[in-house]
Amino acid sequence: MSKVGFIGLGIMGAPMARHLIMAGHDVFLHSRSGVPSPLTEAGGVACVSPQAVAESANTIILMVPDTPHVQEVLFAENGVATGLGAGKCVIDMSSISPLATKDFARKIDDLGCDYVDAPVSGGEVGAKAGSLTIMCGGSDAAFARVLPLLELMGQNITHVGDVGSGQICKVANQIIVALNIEAVSEALVFASKAGADPEKVRQALMGGFASSKILEVHGKRMIKRTFDPGFRIELHQKDLGLALSNARQMGLSLPNTATAMELFNACVANGGSAWDHSGMVRALELLADHEIGRS
Amino acid sequence: MSKVGFIGLGIMGAPMARHLIMAGHDVFLHSRSGVPSPLTEAGGVACVSPQAVAESANTIILMVPDTPHVQEVLFAENGVATGLGAGKCVIDMSSISPLATKDFARKIDDLGCDYVDAPVSGGEVGAKAGSLTIMCGGSDAAFARVLPLLELMGQNITHVGDVGSGQICKVANQIIVALNIEAVSEALVFASKAGADPEKVRQALMGGFASSKILEVHGKRMIKRTFDPGFRIELHQKDLGLALSNARQMGLSLPNTATAMELFNACVANGGSAWDHSGMVRALELLADHEIGRS
């Protein structure tokens, strides 16, 4: 069994770390808001700083909210970097900027350590069940090294490519999901306002080229008016923010991602930050003064 | 066997009419550009006008390019309306304006006739194979009446709702297809420009919430750079034009459909009117000065 560090023990991180403890690893824990007692009772070791975690463990996993938090955990005073020795490995499972990730990885590489970016999808349910989808970037050797640990937390684990590719893939995923939600929203609001039964339209479209996981799942939520998360709009805003800021840095135009972000912003303006992301349809409904299914 | 009229014998109409002739129906034919001789050789009867078709047949099928053509065939001098008697039935299989369809149907209804809108998808291949997807609007009785004829031309036939619902469903389909193409385009251009392998990203996303028929089929075309139709951009422009004009008439905002139309326009500006609609990605590539897969 190996010595594993886990930094960031929130809604996602705590159940993920728990799987590592339960598998018999020596797990060293740190979190900005303190280590939850169930994890230490289960055998995890609380550490005073990211540096202390990195000194005790050979593989250090991060699961924190956003790019600045990763930067701080890695490179601030008492950060991971100050505790690393050559040959150790950092796995960032947070969802953060792909461009920043490449920068962080270079600095960790300079210390003689591996870096793997491994953002996830599947949410709290997937974290608890150990069934997360994990998208990985890093060298073949680094991926092979961390795979046994990742398999304790996820089921659908892909090595997408070089370091940064995991984060790129996650952003691409969030772009498509948001824009497919927007597509289904435009189509169903159009159909409903024109007088057709949106559920009949949804069913008719499911067999053909318009079919998608989003039409199947989120289309139904829009029609049934069930906007409990699921995946909260405020989290998808963060992801589209990463897409748009990275696109701008690279000199790339993402016109419909920009519009989708504005529609999420409009939802938040109307109290929707904790709505499921399928609630994006409400912003289009406001613009049309028409609610799906209302005759 | 019944007496069936067929008006509009282009790339789609000719093979569709042929299925009716081969099934043994008495088929009365008219087309702006003349009746193709293979259809008369097979037993079809050429008529001098839409009026003459409507006088000879009990069910009159239209398959013409756009809303103004349907209006002319139905209501111009020597049009279908002047040849109709009470109890006959008009099936419009063209893809036209849902709002105009409701207007046309009202006028045909005033003559004591049924009206069914039944636009199709599946293209020339589906028309020849008799495997079209057909989306129908009309009364239950009218749908039941025309279903045996439609089954000679298509396989996946849905009664979506009242008259107009078929056209509404077709427009909704074309909105989602265009916007899912745009979504995959933004995601793959982002991933490629950021340095990931777009095919690896596509594969990684296929199992999750980003999965769609478009990611599967059109995503592959974008990566393999195969932009032969398929479905031509100029045809999809027509369909988005219907979406946008009907949306404006109804007081509805379709922001991403509008952007997708502009990207198609940009493709046409670059010689792409006959590209497959997956070629929309090229407009985003122009904006980014980056081609998918180019390092």
Side-chain angles (χ1 to χ4, degrees):
Chain A
M1 287 300 122
S2 52
K3 298 181 175 196
V4 186
F6 208 109
I7 299 169
L9 300 165
I11 289 172
M12 296 294 291
M16 292 164 71
R18 185 173 187 85
H19 290 300
L20 302 175
I21 296 169
M22 290 302 152
H25 292 293
D26 297 325
V27 181
F28 301 88
L29 304 162
H30 180 78
S31 191
R32 205 171 38 166
S33 52
V35 174
S37 55
L39 291 176
T40 49
E41 286 159 16
V45 179
C47 300
V48 295
S49 68
Q51 178 182 346
V53 171
E55 285 167 348
S56 300
N58 295 314
T59 304
I60 300 94
I61 298 173
L62 276 62
M63 191 61 180
V64 296
D66 206 347
T67 314
H69 310 94
V70 172
Q71 174 147 27
E72 191 183 339
V73 165
L74 290 178
F75 303 114
E77 202 181 349
N78 300 320
V80 166
T82 55
L84 284 176
K88 296 193 176 189
C89 180
V90 171
I91 313 176
D92 180 25
M93 302 188 75
S94 324
S95 290
I96 70 162
S97 161
L99 297 179
T101 290
K102 293 184 187 186
D103 183 42
F104 298 160
R106 245 185 321 269
K107 291 178 183 161
I108 297 298
D109 185 68
D110 287 345
L111 301 172
C113 298
D114 282 330
Y115 191 100
V116 175
D117 51 305
V120 307
S121 69
E124 187 181 355
V125 172
K128 285 183 172 165
S131 65
L132 293 166
T133 293
I134 309 180
M135 295 151 267
C136 302
S139 70
D140 289 343
F143 177 73
R145 175 180 178 179
V146 304
L147 184 57
L149 288 176
L150 298 181
E151 285 174 335
L152 296 172
M153 297 177 279
Q155 279 174 338
N156 183 8
I157 304 169
T158 311
H159 184 204
V160 182
D162 293 339
V163 78
S165 296
Q167 300 291 357
I168 292 168
C169 192
K170 176 74 191 281
V171 170
N173 185 73
Q174 298 303 79
I175 289 173
I176 293 179
V177 169
L179 297 191
N180 284 8
I181 288 174
E182 210 282 338
V184 170
S185 298
E186 291 200 12
L188 292 184
V189 172
F190 179 92
S192 174
K193 179 109 178 182
D197 176 345
E199 177 56 18
K200 281 282 184 66
V201 169
R202 193 187 72 88
Q203 285 171 16
L205 300 186
M206 270 309 294
F209 275 109
S211 69
S212 68
K213 192 78 179 165
I214 296 298
L215 179 62
E216 183 191 338
V217 175
H218 297 69
K220 191 175 283 181
R221 290 180 192 164
M222 293 175 200
I223 292 165
K224 294 199 166 186
R225 317 305 293 171
T226 51
F227 297 119
D228 306 322
F231 189 74
R232 293 200 305 282
I233 281 176
E234 62 190 350
L235 293 174
H236 214 148
Q237 281 184 299
K238 180 206 128 188
D239 294 332
L240 295 192
L242 291 174
L244 294 169
S245 64
N246 276 258
R248 183 177 176 187
Q249 274 180 266
M250 293 190 290
L252 201 65
S253 174
L254 301 179
N256 284 2
T257 300
T259 301
M261 179 67 124
E262 292 304 321
L263 293 172
F264 278 146
N265 292 350
C267 289
V268 172
N270 286 272
S273 61
W275 296 345
D276 180 68
H277 51 173
S278 59
M280 187 200 279
V281 70
R282 284 183 162 166
L284 289 170
E285 291 175 340
L286 284 171
L287 294 175
D289 188 26
H290 174 82
E291 190 175 287
I292 284 178
R294 197 181 65 188
S295 57
Chain B
M1 288 298 123
S2 51
K3 299 181 173 197
V4 185
F6 208 109
I7 299 167
L9 300 166
I11 289 172
M12 296 294 291
M16 291 163 72
R18 187 174 187 84
H19 289 300
L20 301 176
I21 296 169
M22 289 304 154
H25 292 293
D26 297 325
V27 182
F28 300 89
L29 304 162
H30 180 78
S31 191
R32 209 170 35 168
S33 52
V35 174
S37 54
L39 291 177
T40 49
E41 287 159 14
V45 179
C47 299
V48 294
S49 67
Q51 179 183 345
V53 171
E55 286 167 349
S56 300
N58 295 314
T59 304
I60 301 95
I61 298 173
L62 275 63
M63 191 62 181
V64 296
D66 206 346
T67 314
H69 310 93
V70 173
Q71 175 149 27
E72 192 184 338
V73 165
L74 290 179
F75 303 114
E77 203 181 349
N78 300 322
V80 166
T82 56
L84 284 176
K88 295 193 175 188
C89 180
V90 171
I91 312 176
D92 180 25
M93 302 188 73
S94 323
S95 291
I96 70 162
S97 161
L99 298 179
T101 290
K102 293 184 186 187
D103 183 40
F104 299 160
R106 244 186 321 267
K107 291 178 183 163
I108 296 298
D109 184 67
D110 288 345
L111 300 171
C113 299
D114 282 330
Y115 191 100
V116 174
D117 52 303
V120 309
S121 70
E124 187 181 354
V125 173
K128 285 183 172 164
S131 65
L132 294 166
T133 294
I134 310 180
M135 296 151 266
C136 301
S139 69
D140 289 343
F143 177 72
R145 176 180 177 180
V146 304
L147 184 57
L149 289 175
L150 298 180
E151 284 174 337
L152 296 172
M153 298 177 278
Q155 280 174 339
N156 183 7
I157 304 168
T158 311
H159 184 205
V160 181
D162 294 340
V163 77
S165 296
Q167 299 293 355
I168 292 168
C169 191
K170 175 74 191 282
V171 170
N173 185 73
Q174 298 303 82
I175 288 173
I176 293 179
V177 169
L179 297 190
N180 284 8
I181 287 173
E182 210 281 340
V184 170
S185 298
E186 291 199 12
L188 292 183
V189 172
F190 179 93
S192 175
K193 180 109 180 185
D197 177 344
E199 177 56 18
K200 281 280 184 67
V201 169
R202 193 187 72 88
Q203 285 170 16
L205 299 187
M206 270 307 294
F209 274 108
S211 69
S212 68
K213 192 76 180 169
I214 296 298
L215 179 63
E216 182 191 339
V217 175
H218 298 70
K220 191 175 282 178
R221 289 180 193 164
M222 293 175 199
I223 292 165
K224 293 199 165 184
R225 316 305 293 170
T226 52
F227 297 119
D228 305 323
F231 189 74
R232 294 201 304 283
I233 281 176
E234 61 190 350
L235 293 175
H236 214 148
Q237 282 183 298
K238 181 208 127 187
D239 295 332
L240 295 191
L242 290 175
L244 294 169
S245 63
N246 276 258
R248 184 176 174 188
Q249 276 179 263
M250 293 190 290
L252 202 65
S253 174
L254 301 179
N256 284 3
T257 300
T259 302
M261 178 68 124
E262 293 304 321
L263 293 172
F264 278 147
N265 293 349
C267 290
V268 172
N270 286 272
S273 61
W275 295 345
D276 180 68
H277 51 173
S278 59
M280 188 200 279
V281 71
R282 284 182 162 166
L284 289 170
E285 290 174 343
L286 284 171
L287 293 175
D289 188 26
H290 174 82
E291 191 175 285
I292 285 178
R294 195 182 66 190
S295 58

Short mmCIF file of all heavy atoms in Angstrom, two decimals, chain A residues 20-41:
data_model
loop_
_atom_site.label_atom_id
_atom_site.label_comp_id
_atom_site.label_asym_id
_atom_site.label_seq_id
_atom_site.Cartn_x
_atom_site.Cartn_y
_atom_site.Cartn_z
N LEU A 20 -9.90 5.81 -0.79
CA LEU A 20 -8.48 5.49 -0.70
C LEU A 20 -8.15 4.89 0.67
O LEU A 20 -7.39 3.93 0.79
CB LEU A 20 -7.63 6.75 -0.93
CG LEU A 20 -7.86 7.45 -2.28
CD1 LEU A 20 -7.06 8.75 -2.34
CD2 LEU A 20 -7.46 6.53 -3.44
N ILE A 21 -8.75 5.50 1.72
CA ILE A 21 -8.53 4.98 3.08
C ILE A 21 -9.06 3.56 3.19
O ILE A 21 -8.39 2.66 3.72
CB ILE A 21 -9.23 5.90 4.11
CG1 ILE A 21 -8.61 7.30 4.10
CG2 ILE A 21 -9.16 5.28 5.51
CD1 ILE A 21 -9.40 8.34 4.89
N MET A 22 -10.28 3.36 2.66
CA MET A 22 -10.94 2.05 2.78
C MET A 22 -10.17 0.97 2.03
O MET A 22 -10.26 -0.22 2.38
CB MET A 22 -12.38 2.13 2.25
CG MET A 22 -13.29 2.94 3.15
SD MET A 22 -13.33 2.25 4.83
CE MET A 22 -13.69 3.69 5.81
N ALA A 23 -9.40 1.38 1.00
CA ALA A 23 -8.62 0.41 0.24
C ALA A 23 -7.33 0.03 0.96
O ALA A 23 -6.57 -0.82 0.49
CB ALA A 23 -8.31 0.97 -1.15
N GLY A 24 -7.07 0.69 2.12
CA GLY A 24 -5.92 0.32 2.92
C GLY A 24 -4.70 1.19 2.75
O GLY A 24 -3.66 0.93 3.36
N HIS A 25 -4.80 2.25 1.94
CA HIS A 25 -3.65 3.15 1.78
C HIS A 25 -3.46 4.01 3.03
O HIS A 25 -4.41 4.27 3.77
CB HIS A 25 -3.87 4.06 0.57
CG HIS A 25 -3.84 3.33 -0.74
ND1 HIS A 25 -2.71 2.74 -1.24
CD2 HIS A 25 -4.83 3.06 -1.63
CE1 HIS A 25 -2.98 2.17 -2.39
NE2 HIS A 25 -4.26 2.33 -2.66
N ASP A 26 -2.21 4.43 3.23
CA ASP A 26 -1.95 5.45 4.26
C ASP A 26 -2.28 6.81 3.65
O ASP A 26 -1.59 7.25 2.72
CB ASP A 26 -0.47 5.42 4.68
CG ASP A 26 -0.10 4.08 5.31
OD1 ASP A 26 -0.96 3.51 6.02
OD2 ASP A 26 1.03 3.61 5.08
N VAL A 27 -3.32 7.45 4.14
CA VAL A 27 -3.81 8.67 3.50
C VAL A 27 -3.60 9.88 4.41
O VAL A 27 -4.06 9.90 5.55
CB VAL A 27 -5.29 8.52 3.11
CG1 VAL A 27 -5.78 9.79 2.40
CG2 VAL A 27 -5.48 7.30 2.19
N PHE A 28 -2.89 10.87 3.88
CA PHE A 28 -2.57 12.10 4.61
C PHE A 28 -3.45 13.23 4.09
O PHE A 28 -3.46 13.50 2.89
CB PHE A 28 -1.08 12.42 4.46
CG PHE A 28 -0.22 11.30 4.99
CD1 PHE A 28 0.16 10.25 4.17
CD2 PHE A 28 0.16 11.28 6.34
CE1 PHE A 28 0.94 9.21 4.66
CE2 PHE A 28 0.93 10.22 6.83
CZ PHE A 28 1.32 9.18 6.00
N LEU A 29 -4.15 13.88 5.03
CA LEU A 29 -5.27 14.75 4.65
C LEU A 29 -5.03 16.20 5.04
O LEU A 29 -4.49 16.49 6.11
CB LEU A 29 -6.55 14.26 5.33
CG LEU A 29 -6.95 12.80 5.07
CD1 LEU A 29 -7.95 12.32 6.11
CD2 LEU A 29 -7.51 12.66 3.66
N HIS A 30 -5.49 17.11 4.16
CA HIS A 30 -5.52 18.53 4.54
C HIS A 30 -6.68 19.20 3.81
O HIS A 30 -6.98 18.87 2.66
CB HIS A 30 -4.21 19.24 4.18
CG HIS A 30 -4.22 20.69 4.57
ND1 HIS A 30 -4.03 21.12 5.87
CD2 HIS A 30 -4.45 21.81 3.83
CE1 HIS A 30 -4.10 22.44 5.90
NE2 HIS A 30 -4.36 22.89 4.68
N SER A 31 -7.31 20.14 4.51
CA SER A 31 -8.38 20.91 3.88
C SER A 31 -8.43 22.28 4.52
O SER A 31 -8.20 22.40 5.73
CB SER A 31 -9.71 20.17 4.05
OG SER A 31 -10.69 20.78 3.24
N ARG A 32 -8.69 23.30 3.72
CA ARG A 32 -8.75 24.68 4.19
C ARG A 32 -9.68 24.81 5.41
O ARG A 32 -9.40 25.53 6.34
CB ARG A 32 -9.28 25.53 3.03
CG ARG A 32 -8.92 26.97 3.04
CD ARG A 32 -9.31 27.64 1.72
NE ARG A 32 -10.60 27.13 1.20
CZ ARG A 32 -11.29 27.71 0.23
NH1 ARG A 32 -10.83 28.82 -0.35
NH2 ARG A 32 -12.42 27.20 -0.21
N SER A 33 -10.78 24.05 5.36
CA SER A 33 -11.78 24.18 6.42
C SER A 33 -11.68 23.05 7.45
O SER A 33 -12.64 22.76 8.15
CB SER A 33 -13.18 24.19 5.81
OG SER A 33 -13.33 23.07 4.94
N GLY A 34 -10.51 22.41 7.51
CA GLY A 34 -10.33 21.34 8.50
C GLY A 34 -10.67 19.97 7.93
O GLY A 34 -11.40 19.86 6.96
N VAL A 35 -10.11 18.93 8.56
CA VAL A 35 -10.34 17.57 8.08
C VAL A 35 -11.58 17.01 8.76
O VAL A 35 -11.66 17.00 10.00
CB VAL A 35 -9.11 16.68 8.39
CG1 VAL A 35 -9.40 15.23 8.03
CG2 VAL A 35 -7.88 17.20 7.63
N PRO A 36 -12.58 16.54 8.00
CA PRO A 36 -13.79 15.97 8.60
C PRO A 36 -13.44 14.77 9.48
O PRO A 36 -12.68 13.89 9.06
CB PRO A 36 -14.63 15.53 7.38
CG PRO A 36 -14.08 16.31 6.22
CD PRO A 36 -12.63 16.52 6.52
N SER A 37 -14.01 14.71 10.69
CA SER A 37 -13.64 13.67 11.65
C SER A 37 -13.92 12.25 11.16
O SER A 37 -13.17 11.33 11.51
CB SER A 37 -14.32 13.93 13.00
OG SER A 37 -15.71 14.04 12.82
N PRO A 38 -14.99 12.01 10.36
CA PRO A 38 -15.17 10.63 9.88
C PRO A 38 -13.96 10.10 9.12
O PRO A 38 -13.70 8.89 9.14
CB PRO A 38 -16.39 10.75 8.95
CG PRO A 38 -17.15 11.94 9.45
CD PRO A 38 -16.10 12.90 9.94
N LEU A 39 -13.21 10.98 8.47
CA LEU A 39 -12.05 10.52 7.69
C LEU A 39 -10.90 10.13 8.61
O LEU A 39 -10.19 9.15 8.35
CB LEU A 39 -11.61 11.59 6.69
CG LEU A 39 -12.58 11.86 5.52
CD1 LEU A 39 -12.07 13.00 4.66
CD2 LEU A 39 -12.79 10.60 4.68
N THR A 40 -10.68 10.90 9.69
CA THR A 40 -9.61 10.52 10.63
C THR A 40 -10.05 9.29 11.42
O THR A 40 -9.22 8.41 11.72
CB THR A 40 -9.26 11.69 11.58
OG1 THR A 40 -10.47 12.22 12.14
CG2 THR A 40 -8.53 12.79 10.82
N GLU A 41 -11.32 9.21 11.76
CA GLU A 41 -11.81 8.02 12.48
C GLU A 41 -11.65 6.76 11.63
O GLU A 41 -11.44 5.67 12.15
CB GLU A 41 -13.30 8.21 12.85
CG GLU A 41 -13.49 9.19 14.01
CD GLU A 41 -14.90 9.78 14.06
OE1 GLU A 41 -15.80 9.22 13.41
OE2 GLU A 41 -15.07 10.81 14.75
#
